[in-house]
Amino acid sequence: MLLLMLRVSFFLCFLLIKLSLCADKYSRDDFPPGFVFGASSSAYQVEGAADQDGRTPSILDTYAHAGNYDGATGDVACDQYHKYKEDVQLMVDTGLEAYRFSISWSRLIPNGRGPVNPKGVQYYNNLIDELITHGIEPHVTLHHSDLPQALDDEYGGWVSRKIVKDFTTYADACFKNFGDRVLHWTTMNEPNVFILGGYDVGFLPPQRCSAPFGVNCSRGNSSTEPYMAAHYTLLAHASAARLYKKMYQDKQHGYIGINVFAYWFVPLTKTIEDELATQRAMDFYFGWVLNPLVFGDYPDVMKKIVGSRIPVFTSLESRIVKGSFDFIGLNYYNILNIKDYSSTLKMETRDFMADSAIKISPLDNGTTTFEYPITPWGLQELLEYIKENYGNPPIYIHENGQRTRRNSSLEDWGRVKFLQGHIQSLLEAIRNGSNSRGYLTWSFLDSLELLDGYESSYGLYYVDLEDPDLKRQPKLSAHWYSHFLKRKNVINFDEVLTSISNGYDIQ
Ligand SMILES: *[C@@H]1O[C@H](CO)[C@@H](O)[C@H](O)[C@H]1NC(C)=O
Ligand SMILES: *[C@@H]1O[C@H](CO)[C@@H](O)[C@H](O)[C@H]1NC(C)=O
Ligand SMILES: *[C@@H]1O[C@H](CO)[C@@H](O)[C@H](O)[C@H]1NC(C)=O
Ligand SMILES: *[C@@H]1O[C@H](CO)[C@@H](O)[C@H](O)[C@H]1NC(C)=O
């Protein structure tokens, strides 16, 4: 039924093109010189080989093995550890220009601190060399939710200042071993999400939270720890970025940045309360990370509401954090409606969610389907907002893609429509001055998803988990993306249909 509806809307748009109402003609060549297109992944979600060649568990291994994904784990995942050559060949076949992956900290430095693991160095060297040989840029994330379990056990990981030194040492090992070939470094993937999930609400590892804010909280403090974890995450980022800029950048000529998860927020009603709540949502959810980076301090509204629970930047810290990036990575999927919920501010004990005093609802208010509503204009608005409010920094879209059920059809029309719309909105934002430099869709392969294991998938390629060989198969979206990237001329739905009836680009 859903498929049918998507097909109907697909053809509807196809008809509208003829009437020039769907202005969706654009091409790869409309993007500025140097702009890159690629796809994303992260270590635990695709590598597998979880206990091979010296790797020790991360907090994601622990979380998965505790049954949080109904028994699914990343022990094998897509087995990219052993199949990286095959996967790079698929990237070549697709026409990808960049591949975003993350390094598993506990593979490179087992237990998080101490000697570097030569087998870990060898794996990432192999992957990076394979990419570069085929003309694909490696875009590397250092931390993607997979803190070494040993550091969480020892001092609580991100809630301790000790993490700053250990993270910097790990980053140093990465720059030293791979920086001659890796030109794009991202220190952290969406700190705002791993912190809220892991230290406030407790549904993500390390599942620290306190009643009444989370479920099954056995340790943690939702009133204070999210703010502490964010503070030390920012300091760890800034420390690694400073090291890179001081010791490596002149020689290696690369760039370093941080990633943040961003929704576009829209007031539920036109009341002044909901408009203010929407601004508060921007400040709490991404100003939390972006304001320190751009201005050297948390947003005023956060400091005012959270009071003594939010750590204060010393003037030295502020100076180190401010400007500590060459680019910002954004993960954008959809829009949320925001309603004022100031009554929570009257509670004596509050967590981050209560402090922000907003109530969030999906855009389509109750009629949410498994797939995201397709709202590309939210990406355009978000990019405008960042341009206007944060001095138009260089931006990489690090994640953007459609969620489907893992075992749904290879004819993923919804994902094609999603990509087509968002890439167009991105182009429009660029045409209006946004300093965007790249687009990396989430995800290259159907992966172990951090929110639900193997229930949902975002991949351009289906990975058959029943097949002992974990066979990869291109979905329609892979063909669409490939067509867009390889035929650098104008593309629209019409052409995709013709192209598909004449045979795919990926053989
Ligand atoms: C909370 O813990 C109990 C007992 O361990 C478990 O049965 C329940 O599923 C947990 N709830 C959630 C939401 O994790
Ligand atoms: C959280 O920390 C604050 C400040 O130290 C303290 O007042 C509060 O009691 C703690 N809450 C819990 C649940 O431990
Ligand atoms: C796909 O998975 C869902 C949920 O696990 C299940 O209900 C459905 O029957 C599956 N469909 C197919 C075609 O296997
Ligand atoms: C384009 O940019 C200008 C100047 O930054 C801004 O005023 C305008 O609202 C933007 N247009 C759109 C459609 O966002």
Side-chain angles (χ1 to χ4, degrees), residues 30 73 83 86 144 164 215-216 229 311 344 347 362 368 384 421 435 446 458 472 486 490:
D30 291 334
T73 71
K83 293 179 174 297
E86 179 188 328
H144 197 120
V164 177
V215 280
N216 285 353
T344 56
M347 292 161 54
T368 323
E384 282 294 332
N435 196 0
D446 281 352
Y458 294 74
R472 283 86 159 119
K486 290 180 193 163
V490 173

mmCIF file of all heavy atoms in Angstrom, residues 30 73 83 86 144 164 215-216 229 311 344 347 362 368 384 421 435 446 458 472 486 490:
data_model
loop_
_atom_site.group_PDB
_atom_site.id
_atom_site.type_symbol
_atom_site.label_atom_id
_atom_site.label_comp_id
_atom_site.label_asym_id
_atom_site.label_seq_id
_atom_site.Cartn_x
_atom_site.Cartn_y
_atom_site.Cartn_z
ATOM 1 N N ASP A 30 25.784 21.122 -11.178
ATOM 2 C CA ASP A 30 25.292 22.397 -10.652
ATOM 3 C C ASP A 30 25.955 22.750 -9.317
ATOM 4 O O ASP A 30 25.845 23.877 -8.842
ATOM 5 C CB ASP A 30 23.775 22.345 -10.436
ATOM 6 C CG ASP A 30 23.020 22.284 -11.748
ATOM 7 O OD1 ASP A 30 23.576 22.766 -12.756
ATOM 8 O OD2 ASP A 30 21.895 21.755 -11.764
ATOM 9 N N THR A 73 23.496 -7.939 17.440
ATOM 10 C CA THR A 73 24.719 -7.267 17.878
ATOM 11 C C THR A 73 25.533 -6.869 16.645
ATOM 12 O O THR A 73 25.215 -7.279 15.530
ATOM 13 C CB THR A 73 25.630 -8.200 18.719
ATOM 14 O OG1 THR A 73 26.208 -9.182 17.848
ATOM 15 C CG2 THR A 73 24.873 -8.880 19.846
ATOM 16 N N LYS A 83 35.419 -7.465 4.334
ATOM 17 C CA LYS A 83 34.893 -7.257 2.985
ATOM 18 C C LYS A 83 35.162 -5.851 2.464
ATOM 19 O O LYS A 83 34.470 -5.395 1.551
ATOM 20 C CB LYS A 83 33.375 -7.502 2.986
ATOM 21 C CG LYS A 83 32.996 -8.947 3.247
ATOM 22 C CD LYS A 83 31.471 -9.086 3.251
ATOM 23 C CE LYS A 83 31.061 -10.533 3.354
ATOM 24 N NZ LYS A 83 31.516 -11.323 2.201
ATOM 25 N N GLU A 86 35.644 -5.479 -1.374
ATOM 26 C CA GLU A 86 34.386 -5.632 -2.103
ATOM 27 C C GLU A 86 33.529 -4.364 -1.944
ATOM 28 O O GLU A 86 32.943 -3.866 -2.909
ATOM 29 C CB GLU A 86 33.667 -6.856 -1.509
ATOM 30 C CG GLU A 86 32.325 -7.180 -2.097
ATOM 31 C CD GLU A 86 31.634 -8.290 -1.279
ATOM 32 O OE1 GLU A 86 32.331 -9.168 -0.714
ATOM 33 O OE2 GLU A 86 30.398 -8.266 -1.208
ATOM 34 N N HIS A 144 32.174 7.677 17.300
ATOM 35 C CA HIS A 144 30.793 7.530 16.830
ATOM 36 C C HIS A 144 30.063 6.603 17.820
ATOM 37 O O HIS A 144 29.821 5.429 17.529
ATOM 38 C CB HIS A 144 30.788 6.963 15.402
ATOM 39 C CG HIS A 144 29.488 7.135 14.678
ATOM 40 N ND1 HIS A 144 29.346 7.846 13.503
ATOM 41 C CD2 HIS A 144 28.242 6.686 14.956
ATOM 42 C CE1 HIS A 144 28.081 7.821 13.089
ATOM 43 N NE2 HIS A 144 27.401 7.119 13.957
ATOM 44 N N VAL A 164 39.354 13.909 28.472
ATOM 45 C CA VAL A 164 39.980 14.874 27.557
ATOM 46 C C VAL A 164 41.378 14.390 27.163
ATOM 47 O O VAL A 164 41.737 14.371 25.981
ATOM 48 C CB VAL A 164 40.037 16.284 28.199
ATOM 49 C CG1 VAL A 164 40.763 17.264 27.280
ATOM 50 C CG2 VAL A 164 38.623 16.776 28.513
ATOM 51 N N VAL A 215 14.385 5.491 32.058
ATOM 52 C CA VAL A 215 13.846 4.177 32.406
ATOM 53 C C VAL A 215 14.983 3.310 32.912
ATOM 54 O O VAL A 215 16.079 3.352 32.376
ATOM 55 C CB VAL A 215 13.182 3.484 31.192
ATOM 56 C CG1 VAL A 215 11.799 4.023 30.968
ATOM 57 C CG2 VAL A 215 14.036 3.602 29.947
ATOM 58 N N ASN A 216 14.703 2.559 33.980
ATOM 59 C CA ASN A 216 15.683 1.605 34.509
ATOM 60 C C ASN A 216 17.025 2.272 34.825
ATOM 61 O O ASN A 216 18.066 1.754 34.449
ATOM 62 C CB ASN A 216 15.918 0.462 33.506
ATOM 63 C CG ASN A 216 14.759 -0.506 33.510
ATOM 64 O OD1 ASN A 216 13.859 -0.391 34.335
ATOM 65 N ND2 ASN A 216 14.795 -1.455 32.596
ATOM 66 N N ALA A 229 28.765 15.909 30.583
ATOM 67 C CA ALA A 229 29.236 15.119 29.434
ATOM 68 C C ALA A 229 29.441 16.026 28.218
ATOM 69 O O ALA A 229 30.423 15.876 27.489
ATOM 70 C CB ALA A 229 28.251 14.003 29.120
ATOM 71 N N PRO A 311 28.226 23.541 33.494
ATOM 72 C CA PRO A 311 29.592 23.958 33.817
ATOM 73 C C PRO A 311 29.932 25.313 33.171
ATOM 74 O O PRO A 311 29.414 25.637 32.108
ATOM 75 C CB PRO A 311 30.462 22.852 33.228
ATOM 76 C CG PRO A 311 29.564 21.664 33.107
ATOM 77 C CD PRO A 311 28.205 22.227 32.817
ATOM 78 N N THR A 344 7.096 22.826 32.942
ATOM 79 C CA THR A 344 8.149 21.954 33.484
ATOM 80 C C THR A 344 9.208 22.763 34.225
ATOM 81 O O THR A 344 9.896 22.235 35.092
ATOM 82 C CB THR A 344 8.867 21.163 32.364
ATOM 83 O OG1 THR A 344 9.372 22.093 31.411
ATOM 84 C CG2 THR A 344 7.936 20.187 31.682
ATOM 85 N N MET A 347 9.168 22.698 38.020
ATOM 86 C CA MET A 347 9.561 21.524 38.797
ATOM 87 C C MET A 347 10.859 21.807 39.545
ATOM 88 O O MET A 347 11.762 22.442 39.017
ATOM 89 C CB MET A 347 9.816 20.331 37.865
ATOM 90 C CG MET A 347 8.591 19.805 37.177
ATOM 91 S SD MET A 347 9.037 18.824 35.730
ATOM 92 C CE MET A 347 10.173 17.647 36.473
ATOM 93 N N PRO A 362 6.026 14.998 16.143
ATOM 94 C CA PRO A 362 6.395 14.867 14.735
ATOM 95 C C PRO A 362 5.555 15.815 13.901
ATOM 96 O O PRO A 362 4.454 16.187 14.291
ATOM 97 C CB PRO A 362 6.078 13.423 14.393
ATOM 98 C CG PRO A 362 5.658 12.751 15.643
ATOM 99 C CD PRO A 362 5.395 13.790 16.664
ATOM 100 N N THR A 368 2.329 9.370 11.943
ATOM 101 C CA THR A 368 3.691 8.974 11.576
ATOM 102 C C THR A 368 3.738 7.560 11.007
ATOM 103 O O THR A 368 3.193 6.634 11.582
ATOM 104 C CB THR A 368 4.597 8.986 12.824
ATOM 105 O OG1 THR A 368 4.203 10.072 13.627
ATOM 106 C CG2 THR A 368 6.039 9.118 12.441
ATOM 107 N N GLU A 384 20.029 27.908 6.154
ATOM 108 C CA GLU A 384 19.860 29.374 6.214
ATOM 109 C C GLU A 384 20.102 29.860 7.640
ATOM 110 O O GLU A 384 20.773 30.862 7.870
ATOM 111 C CB GLU A 384 18.439 29.780 5.787
ATOM 112 C CG GLU A 384 18.198 29.762 4.297
ATOM 113 C CD GLU A 384 19.014 30.823 3.550
ATOM 114 O OE1 GLU A 384 19.354 31.878 4.115
ATOM 115 O OE2 GLU A 384 19.319 30.568 2.371
ATOM 116 N N GLY A 421 14.817 15.061 -3.188
ATOM 117 C CA GLY A 421 14.314 16.308 -2.598
ATOM 118 C C GLY A 421 15.371 17.018 -1.765
ATOM 119 O O GLY A 421 15.535 18.239 -1.850
ATOM 120 N N ASN A 435 27.464 27.885 2.832
ATOM 121 C CA ASN A 435 28.840 27.448 2.591
ATOM 122 C C ASN A 435 28.957 25.917 2.712
ATOM 123 O O ASN A 435 29.830 25.410 3.386
ATOM 124 C CB ASN A 435 29.729 28.166 3.617
ATOM 125 C CG ASN A 435 31.197 28.121 3.274
ATOM 126 O OD1 ASN A 435 31.586 27.561 2.259
ATOM 127 N ND2 ASN A 435 32.008 28.690 4.145
ATOM 128 N N ASP A 446 22.960 -1.247 4.472
ATOM 129 C CA ASP A 446 22.041 -1.499 5.581
ATOM 130 C C ASP A 446 22.898 -1.956 6.760
ATOM 131 O O ASP A 446 23.641 -2.934 6.644
ATOM 132 C CB ASP A 446 21.057 -2.617 5.204
ATOM 133 C CG ASP A 446 19.929 -2.113 4.311
ATOM 134 O OD1 ASP A 446 19.824 -0.890 4.104
ATOM 135 O OD2 ASP A 446 19.146 -2.956 3.832
ATOM 136 N N TYR A 458 18.712 2.069 6.275
ATOM 137 C CA TYR A 458 18.841 3.322 5.525
ATOM 138 C C TYR A 458 19.707 3.144 4.291
ATOM 139 O O TYR A 458 20.008 4.108 3.590
ATOM 140 C CB TYR A 458 19.502 4.385 6.403
ATOM 141 C CG TYR A 458 18.701 4.846 7.603
ATOM 142 C CD1 TYR A 458 18.557 4.041 8.732
ATOM 143 C CD2 TYR A 458 18.096 6.094 7.608
ATOM 144 C CE1 TYR A 458 17.835 4.471 9.831
ATOM 145 C CE2 TYR A 458 17.381 6.531 8.714
ATOM 146 C CZ TYR A 458 17.257 5.721 9.820
ATOM 147 O OH TYR A 458 16.551 6.150 10.907
ATOM 148 N N ARG A 472 25.540 -8.211 -0.727
ATOM 149 C CA ARG A 472 25.043 -6.844 -0.891
ATOM 150 C C ARG A 472 24.288 -6.756 -2.215
ATOM 151 O O ARG A 472 24.775 -7.281 -3.230
ATOM 152 C CB ARG A 472 26.202 -5.842 -0.977
ATOM 153 C CG ARG A 472 26.864 -5.485 0.330
ATOM 154 C CD ARG A 472 27.943 -6.449 0.713
ATOM 155 N NE ARG A 472 28.885 -5.874 1.671
ATOM 156 C CZ ARG A 472 29.117 -6.328 2.892
ATOM 157 N NH1 ARG A 472 28.496 -7.396 3.353
ATOM 158 N NH2 ARG A 472 30.003 -5.732 3.674
ATOM 159 N N LYS A 486 27.122 9.874 -11.946
ATOM 160 C CA LYS A 486 27.917 9.555 -13.137
ATOM 161 C C LYS A 486 27.519 10.343 -14.378
ATOM 162 O O LYS A 486 28.362 10.712 -15.171
ATOM 163 C CB LYS A 486 27.803 8.079 -13.453
ATOM 164 C CG LYS A 486 28.507 7.189 -12.443
ATOM 165 C CD LYS A 486 28.303 5.768 -12.899
ATOM 166 C CE LYS A 486 28.672 4.764 -11.849
ATOM 167 N NZ LYS A 486 28.073 3.463 -12.187
ATOM 168 N N VAL A 490 21.631 17.024 -16.556
ATOM 169 C CA VAL A 490 20.402 17.275 -15.800
ATOM 170 C C VAL A 490 19.694 15.964 -15.488
ATOM 171 O O VAL A 490 19.646 15.058 -16.303
ATOM 172 C CB VAL A 490 19.465 18.197 -16.610
ATOM 173 C CG1 VAL A 490 18.115 18.333 -15.927
ATOM 174 C CG2 VAL A 490 20.119 19.551 -16.790
#
